[in-house]
């Protein structure tokens, strides 16, 4: 039953607006028509909505709908941010670019190889086959550049063929060129499979997600194969859109996973072998060692010419003047002054010779690396704490490099870091030297700078230099030598 209060509530909305009786009749007719053709669940939904509308719950429904819309929209934005990143776009572009390239490249490479193999008994067979190998090598360079630009996979370029007995035999005997041929052959099926599987997730996901916008205008409703499912109702359309959203969410991850095999092939087939890379590293370190030795010899010659030699010339000149004074009637005051100058020049020359000898081979190293580093720490203009823990004494060459590198680091700290204290820690095996200061930081390894020179010097004995120097400090430099 309806009480008079209830009738008043039906006739007036919560905001006090009178409802037209004609509108109520139209709404009642509409509800009656819907109930006549609806299922039992539809009747329940209509009854709930009628109660909400009649009892002034429209405001709550609108508020709930706006809140849900905000939640869905914010979640959609976050999901879209995860799906459409810079890395995802670069990987999709790589997949799209590689499909025509791998097919056309395979044909362009195999054609001269097959023809050259068939004509190998003639004079033109081997040059044609070498052309196919060179095409594979060029394709490998292109793939390696694309992987570096789009995938962030950096692979060193192998050495070119060494034409010791002609360019054609060098190309046909070059292992790196034949590895490029193998990569081009494998790239075709891998590229096609990656494209098909990756694009399946992207295309089907986008199609299913957008099908909800136009399914109701299609005369022939969409059906899925292998299952009894047709998009002929709104719930089915929403379900299909959710499946499409899931496919789009998985598409970047599937694409990234599929490209893992391509990355492995690029690293294994388009880069230098371990042996060739090792030979290249040894050649570079040998060149650095030769340059460093030549620079050191030039520095010694310069120090001898500008410093010690000048002192010895002054000493000889003053002694000659003393000799001339003694031949006649000597002026004792002048003679004493000349002898004092000669004595001073002799002492300064001795100091410079001692410093020069210390720069060639520090005498403190004869007692071990710990004693030599203790001498460096005591001479530093800023307080330096030293900790040395070595199980055995390193090789003499490693001790020399460790000493000079530590000396240069402490000099740089005193000149540039504005630090008030520093620490040097040496541990074995290796050794491993860690130099830390509390300065302003910002140290960078620039070509031609001091830290780059340290890295090249340490690399001559297969050592490494790691620099961690954020702006504002602290700065930590770790020098590691092989055990």
């Amino acid at each position: 039953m309806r009480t008079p209060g209830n009738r008043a509530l039906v006739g007036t909305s919560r905001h006090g607006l009178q409802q037209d009786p004609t509108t109520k009749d139209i709404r009642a007719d509409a509800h009656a028509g819907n109930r006549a053709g609806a299922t039992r669940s539809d009747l329940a939904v209509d009854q709930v909505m009628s109660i909400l509308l009649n009892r002034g719950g429209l405001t709550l429904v609108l508020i709930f709908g706006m809140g849900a819309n905000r939640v869905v929209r914010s979640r959609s934005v976050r999901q879209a941010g995860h799906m459409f990143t810079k890395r995802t776009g670069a990987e999709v572009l790589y997949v799209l670019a590689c499909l025509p390239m791998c097919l056309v490249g395979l044909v362009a490479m195999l054609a001269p190889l097959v023809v050259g193999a068939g004509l190998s008994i003639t004079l033109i067979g081997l040059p044609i086959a070498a052309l196919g190998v060179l095409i594979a090598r060029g394709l490998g360079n292109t793939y390696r550049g694309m992987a570096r630009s789009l995938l962030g996979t950096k692979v060193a370029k192998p050495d070119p063929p060494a034409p010791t007995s002609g360019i054609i035999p060098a190309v046909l005997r070059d292992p790196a060129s034949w590895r490029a041929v193998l990569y081009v052959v494998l790239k075709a099926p891998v590229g096609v499979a990656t494209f098909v599987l990756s694009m399946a997730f992207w295309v089907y996901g986008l199609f299913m997600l957008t099908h909800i916008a136009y399914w109701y205008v299609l005369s022939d409703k969409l059906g899925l194969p292998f299952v009894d499912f047709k998009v002929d109702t709104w719930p089915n359309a929403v379900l299909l859109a959710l499946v499409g959203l899931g496919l789009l969410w998985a598409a970047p991850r599937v694409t990234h996973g599929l490209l893992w095999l391509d990355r492995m092939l690029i690293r294994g087939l388009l880069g230098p072998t371990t042996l060739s890379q090792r030979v290249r590293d040894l050649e570079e370190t040998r060149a650095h060692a030769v340059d460093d030795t030549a620079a050191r010899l030039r520095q010694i010659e310069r120090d001898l010419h500008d410093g010690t030699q000048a002192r010895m010339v002054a000493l000889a000149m003053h002694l000659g003047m003393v000799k001339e004074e003694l031949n006649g009637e000597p002026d004792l005051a002048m003679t004493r002054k000349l002898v004092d100058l000669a004595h001073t020049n002799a002492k300064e020359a001795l100091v410079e010779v001692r410093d020069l000898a210390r720069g060639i081979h520090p005498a403190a190293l004869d007692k071990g690396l710990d004693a030599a580093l203790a001498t460096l720490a005591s001479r530093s203009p800023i307080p330096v704490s030293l900790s040395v823990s070595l199980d055995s004494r390193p090789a003499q060459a490693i001790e020399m490099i460790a000493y000079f590198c530590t000396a240069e680091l402490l000099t740089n700290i005193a000149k540039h870091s504005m630090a008030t204290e520093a620490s040097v820690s040496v541990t074995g095996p290796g050794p491993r030297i860690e130099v830390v200061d509390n300065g302003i930081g910002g140290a960078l390894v620039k070509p031609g700078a001091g830290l780059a020179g340290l890295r090249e010097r340490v690399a001559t004995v297969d050592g490494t230099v790691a620099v961690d120097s954020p702006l504002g400090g602290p700065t930590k430099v770790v020098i590691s030598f092989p055990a």
Side-chain angles (χ1 to χ4, degrees):
M1 292 181 62
R2 254 184 210 163
T3 62
N6 289 338
R7 285 196 299 270
L9 186 60
V10 171
T12 307
S13 68
R14 185 176 294 273
H15 298 286
L17 299 177
Q18 293 288 335
Q19 296 182 353
D20 190 359
T22 306
T23 304
K24 289 195 295 181
D25 294 340
I26 293 174
R27 184 183 299 162
D29 293 340
H31 281 295
N34 290 334
R35 284 194 297 270
T39 60
R40 182 173 300 176
S41 60
D42 294 334
L43 287 172
V45 173
D46 287 341
Q47 290 176 0
V48 172
M49 292 301 297
S50 298
I51 293 174
L52 289 174
L53 290 172
N54 290 335
R55 293 187 177 272
L58 181 60
T59 304
L60 295 177
V61 173
L62 291 176
I63 294 175
F64 177 78
M66 292 173 63
N69 184 36
R70 289 182 179 179
V71 172
V72 171
R73 185 171 56 189
S74 62
R75 289 181 178 176
S76 301
V77 170
R78 287 197 299 268
Q79 292 292 340
H82 289 296
M83 285 189 290
F84 302 104
T85 61
K86 183 178 180 180
R87 188 194 75 176
T88 300
E91 290 178 344
V92 172
L93 180 60
Y94 179 83
V95 172
L96 294 175
C98 283
L99 177 66
M101 184 175 172
C102 68
L103 298 177
V104 175
L106 180 64
V107 175
M109 181 201 69
L110 286 181
L113 273 180
V114 173
V115 173
L119 300 176
S120 58
I121 58 176
T122 65
L123 295 178
I124 63 173
L126 293 181
I128 295 176
L131 176 62
V133 175
L134 289 177
I135 291 175
R137 182 120 187 178
L139 290 171
N141 294 336
T142 304
Y143 282 123
R144 188 168 48 248
M146 292 173 57
R148 180 177 59 253
S149 302
L150 298 178
L151 303 183
T153 303
K154 298 180 180 179
V155 178
K157 184 179 180 181
D159 294 329
T164 56
S165 59
I167 185 64
I168 294 176
V171 170
L172 294 178
R173 293 174 184 173
D174 183 37
S177 299
W178 287 105
R179 290 200 308 271
V181 171
L182 179 59
Y183 177 81
V184 174
V185 172
L186 295 177
K187 176 63 178 177
V190 171
V192 172
T194 302
F195 175 83
V196 171
L197 295 177
S198 177
M199 290 302 108
F201 277 82
W202 287 105
V203 174
Y204 276 101
L206 186 61
F207 170 75
M208 292 180 179
L209 182 62
T210 58
H211 189 70
I212 193 174
Y214 57 87
W215 72 270
Y216 52 87
V217 300
L218 299 177
S219 58
D220 189 9
K221 304 302 182 184
L222 175 68
L224 297 183
F226 309 114
V227 292
D228 186 15
F229 183 86
K230 265 198 169 184
V231 185
D232 52 2
T233 61
W234 278 108
N236 287 352
V238 172
L239 179 60
L240 186 70
L242 292 177
V243 173
L245 184 61
L247 291 178
L248 286 179
W249 178 84
R253 294 155 179 83
V254 171
T255 303
H256 184 74
L258 291 173
L259 288 176
W260 174 84
L261 178 59
D262 200 1
R263 289 186 175 94
M264 294 299 102
L265 290 177
I266 291 175
R267 291 191 180 100
L269 298 178
L270 297 184
T273 60
T274 305
L275 179 59
S276 62
Q277 185 65 38
R278 177 60 177 165
V279 171
R280 180 185 297 180
D281 293 340
L282 290 177
E283 290 175 349
E284 291 180 356
T285 55
R286 182 186 65 180
H288 292 322
V290 172
D291 294 341
D292 184 68
T293 302
R296 186 175 294 275
L297 290 175
R298 288 194 299 270
Q299 183 65 37
I300 292 174
E301 188 274 334
R302 191 181 302 112
D303 292 340
L304 287 173
H305 182 272
D306 298 339
T308 307
Q309 183 178 349
R311 300 293 182 189
M312 299 303 294
V313 169
L315 175 62
M317 183 179 65
H318 290 145
L319 290 177
M321 295 173 65
V322 170
K323 183 179 179 180
E324 290 179 359
E325 286 288 334
L326 293 176
N327 287 334
E329 296 180 359
D331 185 355
L332 295 179
M334 179 62 68
T335 303
R336 187 179 292 109
K337 183 177 180 182
L338 291 174
V339 171
D340 289 339
L341 288 176
H343 183 249
T344 301
N345 287 329
K347 291 194 295 183
E348 291 177 352
L350 286 175
V351 171
E352 291 181 357
V353 170
R354 189 182 299 113
D355 292 339
L356 185 61
R358 187 183 296 115
I360 297 173
H361 179 78
L365 274 178
D366 296 335
K367 301 179 182 179
L369 184 61
D370 51 349
L373 294 181
T375 304
L376 284 179
S378 63
R379 292 176 178 173
S380 176
I382 63 173
V384 177
S385 61
L386 177 64
S387 172
V388 180
S389 176
L390 293 174
D391 298 331
S392 60
R393 185 168 181 176
Q396 184 177 0
I398 292 181
E399 279 189 341
M400 287 275 293
I401 295 175
Y403 174 85
F404 285 116
C405 288
T406 306
E408 186 167 348
L409 288 175
L410 292 179
T411 302
N412 291 340
I413 291 173
K415 287 183 178 180
H416 309 296
S417 71
M418 302 176 65
T420 58
E421 61 180 1
S423 65
V424 178
S425 175
V426 183
T427 56
R432 181 180 182 273
I433 304 175
E434 182 177 302
V435 181
V436 182
D437 68 79
N438 63 347
I440 59 176
L444 298 175
V445 182
K446 299 179 180 179
L451 291 177
L454 290 183
R455 177 169 292 178
E456 293 173 358
R457 182 181 300 177
V458 171
T460 58
V461 290
D462 290 341
T464 59
V465 177
V467 180
D468 181 16
S469 181
L471 292 177
T475 297
K476 180 171 71 172
V477 180
V478 178
I479 304 174
S480 301
F481 295 94

